[in-house]
Amino acid sequence: MKARITKPLLGLAGLGASLGALALVVTPATAFAQPLAPPAPPKPGMPAPGPLFPQKMIATVAQTNAANGDTNPYGIAVVPKTIGSLKAGNVLVADFNNTSTMGEGTSIVQVNPKTGQTTTFFSSNAITGPVAIAINPNNDFVWLAYYGQASDGSQSGYAVISPEGTLPVNFTNKNSSYMGYHNLFEGVWGATYANGAFFWTNAGSSMPNSSGTTGQVWRLNPNPGGSSNGQPLNSTYTPLVTDLPTSDIAGTPPTPSTVAGPQGMAYDMRNSTLYVTDDDNNAIYAIPHALTATGPVTPVLVSEGGALMSPQGIVIDPINHNLLVVNGAGNNNLVEVTPKGRQVATRSLDQGGAGALFGIATYTQAGPGPMHRLGLYFDDSNTSTLDSLADPQPMPPMPPAGPVGNPPMPPAGPVGNPPMPPAAPMHYQS
């Protein structure tokens, strides 16, 4: 759990072969179909509270504690393919805590949502405080963001985990420095993977670096088959944003329960826009042309305040393309926001203590019905469970009813006695 309010709120396989497959060839992003519009002017008051997807119900899918006792679920991701130890449709969950300390967990569990079975997919002391999960959809390699053992986020990093659950690459500040940024990982929190590129957010730490201590968004382009450049996977790094709001103050180290800044991310393939939540100022930002930008850009403020209360996890509704955000360190609400910034609906996902929701992911429900059969997975640290928000599954049709009452009687025979056979001729003996 990470209950925190930081600002006044408004309204409330073989290693060599496997590494070569880690990255996709980066496809140049297409230009915007339409320029990203500025956010709509804020409207007074909160959006009308009401059920988001009113026909959908909340249900517990599974417990998420690891076999070693790690708990407090944060990042989640749906497995795209059945490879190695991973099965398509299962859900990976990062356990942030160990049995006694916040941010000291070391495990990722795999949940089978059909059976509710939870197994440990990966656990290693090489990573501490796993916080966000992104998966390469081509090969199931898992990119794991971890906050690090140091409570100020200065030992953050990213691990690349194979579908078999091995750790071929671990990115840390010790082996990754670039363009004068000596600490590429500063209180990392969010992660996403799109079109061969990996993105992460830095919520800041007390460690000084050339960019200061403001919130950052970075892109990593792996090139494992290219010439060596001294970086893991011969990666190159691009700072996309270097000045997002954060609560980090030099000389005042944050902790996992107080760090605030850029958090969750969601990538819209339609226009190469990366959306980022920031729980320091209760806002959502858009970063245009995120795949092709060559340096820091000015993010577009999409929405701020209103129903957004320490927003963290974010996904894009694949049907209507609205943004779905959970108030992870706030009031446990789910908020729906249009790409132009209008907050259109809210729904409570947990009635317990604040600060329980962090990971969120979409999936498609099977079965008959209209096209909009979107399901959401979210984790709940109040109960250490993976939950779902989904349509109730329809009951199977009943077999056709048989005839009512007694079966009909067979047709009646002729009424009365049957006719007598004709009499034989009479003969008299003399």
Side-chain angles (χ1 to χ4, degrees), residues 44-424:
M46 300 282 286
L52 191 64
F53 308 126
Q55 79 279 18
K56 298 184 186 293
M57 299 177 62
I58 296 173
T60 296
V61 177
Q63 289 287 322
T64 58
N65 291 342
N68 64 359
D70 286 353
T71 186
N72 199 6
Y74 270 36
I76 65 176
V78 178
V79 177
K81 291 185 176 184
T82 298
I83 303 176
S85 301
L86 299 177
K87 183 177 180 180
N90 284 0
V91 185
L92 296 184
V93 182
D95 281 327
F96 190 65
N97 293 10
N98 65 12
T99 55
S100 61
T101 307
M102 187 174 189
E104 296 286 337
T106 60
S107 303
I108 306 174
V109 297
Q110 179 175 194
V111 175
N112 183 329
K114 294 181 179 180
T115 65
Q117 182 182 18
T118 298
T119 56
T120 299
F121 164 66
F122 174 83
S123 186
S124 172
N125 291 329
I127 59 102
T128 306
V131 70
I133 299 174
I135 303 179
N136 182 333
N138 270 15
N139 54 29
D140 275 2
F141 271 82
V142 177
W143 293 70
L144 173 70
Y146 60 92
Y147 190 77
Q149 192 169 27
S151 63
D152 63 1
S154 61
Q155 295 179 14
S156 294
Y158 280 93
V160 183
I161 303 168
S162 76
E164 293 76 24
T166 63
L167 181 63
V169 177
N170 193 5
F171 293 77
T172 68
N173 286 327
K174 295 179 180 179
N175 59 21
S176 300
S177 61
Y178 196 72
M179 296 171 57
Y181 293 86
H182 300 296
N183 297 299
L184 295 180
F185 309 111
E186 294 287 325
V188 299
W189 210 261
T192 194
Y193 191 99
N195 286 20
F198 174 66
F199 302 87
W200 79 90
T201 58
N202 284 337
S205 83
S206 62
M207 298 289 289
N209 59 48
S210 61
S211 66
T213 56
T214 52
Q216 305 166 6
V217 180
W218 284 79
R219 185 183 74 228
L220 181 157
N221 292 96
N223 184 26
S227 58
S228 176
N229 64 357
Q231 298 299 317
L233 302 181
N234 303 323
S235 299
T236 58
Y237 311 91
T238 303
L240 296 178
V241 180
T242 59
D243 57 356
L244 284 176
T246 176
S247 64
D248 186 31
I249 301 173
T252 307
T255 68
S257 62
T258 63
V259 63
Q263 306 276 325
M265 293 186 290
Y267 179 79
D268 192 336
M269 293 186 178
R270 298 176 307 149
N271 51 23
S272 189
T273 299
L274 183 68
Y275 292 96
V276 181
T277 61
D278 194 315
D279 71 341
D280 181 66
N281 64 334
N282 305 308
I284 302 171
Y285 293 91
I287 304 173
H289 308 293
L291 278 176
T292 56
T294 58
V297 300
T298 300
V300 177
L301 178 63
V302 175
S303 188
E304 183 176 18
L308 296 174
M309 180 178 177
S310 294
Q312 303 228 348
I314 180 173
V315 293
I316 298 173
D317 184 324
I319 308 298
N320 65 14
H321 308 294
N322 284 349
L323 310 174
L324 305 175
V325 182
V326 286
N327 288 334
N331 58 9
N332 301 331
N333 278 356
L334 175 66
V335 184
E336 183 172 6
V337 184
T338 70
K340 292 187 177 181
R342 189 164 65 93
Q343 299 176 12
V344 296
T346 65
R347 176 164 178 170
S348 174
L349 296 182
D350 181 273
Q351 300 293 325
L357 308 180
F358 297 92
I360 183 173
T362 61
Y363 69 98
T364 302
Q365 288 188 256
M371 179 179 179
H372 199 305
R373 290 186 60 79
L374 177 71
L376 297 178
Y377 291 124
F378 61 94
D379 52 25
D380 189 328
S381 66
N382 280 339
T383 55
S384 290
T385 58
L386 176 71
D387 298 342
S388 68
L389 178 66
D391 294 330
Q393 293 299 318
M395 295 292 291
M398 296 291 290
V404 178
N406 295 325
M409 295 292 290
V415 177
N417 294 324
M420 294 292 290

